Amino acid sequence: MRYSNEDTAQNRSEYNCEGTEQIQEELKKLPDQPGVYIMHDASDAIIYVGKAVSLRKRVHQYFQASHNEGIKKDQMVKKIHRFEYIVTDSELEALVLECNLIKEHRPKYNTMLRDDKTYPYIKVTLGEDFPRVLFCRSVKKDKSKYFGPYTSAGAVKDTIDLLKKLYQIRSCNRCLPRDTGKDRPCLNYHIKQCDAPCQGYISKESYRIKIEGVLEFLNGNYQPVLEELQQKMMEASEAMEFEKAIEYRELLNSVKQIAQKQKITNSDGEDKDVIALAADDRDAVVQVFFIRSGRLIGREHFFLTIGNEDHTGQILTIFLKQFYSGTPYIPREIMLQEAVEDEKVIVDWLSDKKGQKVSLRVPQKGMKEKLVELAEKNAQLVLSQDKEKIKREEGRTIGAMKEIAGWLQLGRLERVEAFDISNISGFETVGSMVVYEKGKPQRSDYRKFKLRSIAGPDDYASMHEVLTRRFSHGKQEREELAEKGIDEAYGSFTKFPDLIMMDGGRGQVNIALQVLEELHLDIPVCGMVKDDHHRTRGLYFHNVEIPIDTHSEGFHLITRIQDEAHRFAITYHRSLRSKEQTHSVLDDIPGVGPARRKALMRRFQSLEEIKNATVEELAQTENFNQKAALEVYNFFHGNIETDQ
């Protein structure tokens, strides 16, 4: 669910108690449910992730002038451009998801980065003849069954104690049946909390029945135990055995806390996509949860226009084909809310694309079913609250790309690459490459170029070098992949654009066409032509300047691409200038490393004193010898003759 403010907030006063009209409109849509909220800045970077018992109440607080959470949070609020959220079924799930997202995205304003090792698990050692139920904080690939993670270590320990009391499971470390009868039974046997398999008092088969009860409990069938504890608590209370009643009450609360399933993290550590949809008569929203290494790290939603006759299975079938034909990564398992048509064909196709077996599953019970339900719940919220906004967003992105493709008469336009050059009088010339896919910035594919062969302010020659390096590198990678028999790979420079946009007119376009001709590549190139006020006025394509509607979404997208290419180049150039400004002339002297440089600075008061020092004076410096002193002297005065 994306909630965005069209105008970037520049100062806190914009987020006063009244708030901007756009933000206030989006705040009204927040549900009064637990979940995680994600704050984005103007460049769409995630700057803060938080959890909430009530998303409506918590997120509202950030935009109230009377609410003060400190300087750091105030600075963060100034930079909020939009926010999104994921609804969960409990606060505990929200906490786990919050930690997963913080670990994945490392937001600037989150200070407490939690790790999975802080979470406890319940481990059932099914690889043993007489399994135990243990507390642990790590998941290993063994024959044991793991449940969790949970957020309360105390509740986990209480639950393990409860399971031992209910099912008389052993807690000792004896190796059974090897050590059977070698020692007396422990105290747990005498207080009726263990059936003493160490003495052979219970058979392996009977013990396994008890373990199945434990697994049933940990898999979520809590009701029989809850009812039994409730009854015992009431009986103890009526018998005025209040201490025992309190003990049952505490156990009851522990079981209730454990009963809040943690769907946000799975202990199997596998990669999965979870797909569910919500639909009405004309529209559908498909929600995709991305689980990587067992952790829910992100999600995306997609808006579809459907017909009255389309049912869930048909919509999911169409979506799977379109989504996985364009995504570079396919997980081993895809969980769906309903079976799809042509399932075998789709499975074979996905398996062939991935290079290993891919499975489609419709979970019927347990954690996986709950996770699909959560995805469907979030899809329903998007559908009910955000249909019009999603359509507007698609108009700004996909619709704008279609508009540009229509102006240039291109059949397909999904990926655009734009290039720009930045320098000051030829100093530290750099190039930038920004990428937009389906109208959105693809920042992982951005690239920076530090010019190697160009001296002076020659933008055309600089652009020639940048484009040559970009596409020759891409060709080389493609050839290497082809030799290995890999037909399709994305990343680095292997994916070529459907259109190259140059930050200039005829001259820049001709440079790009020259490079493509030299490399025997056929990619459309257009220039973003500016007016006298440095504003885009049209596109230069096939030797013709094409006028464009300056009020259209296509025009706004071109402007964003142009500004982003320029911003990215300027940012890189500034970073290089900053590094150069902190560079000391002493760094350039051969044989003078950090230790000798510091020694020179301690002995002499200024660079001028170092320049005026004799070889003998330099040689008396700490860590220096005659050779090093001569290197310093020659650096400032030129080579001199010595007796050595």
Side-chain angles (χ1 to χ4, degrees), residues 14 26-27 162 172 227 285 292 301 367 391 432-433 505 522 541 566 591 600 612 614:
E14 288 187 36
E26 306 306 343
L27 289 173
L162 172 64
C172 63
E227 291 174 357
V285 170
R292 300 295 179 260
H301 60 258
M367 303 286 280
K391 288 181 178 178
S432 69
M433 169 184 132
D522 183 18
F541 189 63
H566 187 60
L600 283 172
N612 295 332
T614 64

Side-chain angles (χ1 to χ4, degrees), residues 261-275:
K261 295 278 201 159
Q262 304 302 325
K263 300 183 287 293
I264 304 306
T265 302
N266 291 325
S267 58
D268 59 12
E270 294 290 339
D271 290 355
K272 300 181 180 70
D273 284 353
V274 180
I275 302 177

Side-chain angles (χ1 to χ4, degrees), residues 471 500 511-525:
F471 288 105
I500 298 172
I511 290 294
L513 292 173
Q514 179 185 339
V515 171
L516 295 174
E517 185 178 357
E518 291 169 357
L519 297 174
H520 307 291
L521 295 173
D522 183 18
I523 302 173
V525 182

Side-chain angles (χ1 to χ4, degrees), residues 66 107 273 282 473:
S66 60
D273 284 353
R282 296 179 300 169
H473 190 178

Side-chain angles (χ1 to χ4, degrees), residues 104-123:
E104 179 70 19
H105 299 288
R106 299 186 178 277
K108 179 179 179 180
Y109 290 96
N110 284 98
T111 54
M112 299 299 291
L113 296 181
R114 305 178 180 91
D115 193 274
D116 283 341
K117 67 184 179 182
T118 62
Y119 296 123
Y121 291 82
I122 294 177
K123 175 181 179 179

Side-chain angles (χ1 to χ4, degrees), residues 128 132 134 170-176 178-179 186 198:
E128 298 177 339
R132 295 168 293 162
L134 306 174
R170 75 183 182 104
S171 58
C172 63
N173 294 325
R174 296 175 185 177
C175 182
L176 303 179
R178 187 193 67 186
D179 296 337
C186 65
C198 61

Side-chain angles (χ1 to χ4, degrees), residues 572-596:
Y572 182 41
H573 191 259
R574 284 174 180 165
S575 70
L576 292 179
R577 294 209 316 270
S578 176
K579 291 178 182 177
E580 185 65 25
Q581 288 165 0
T582 60
H583 182 80
S584 169
V585 67
L586 299 179
D587 294 330
D588 297 327
I589 304 175
V592 176
R596 284 176 172 167

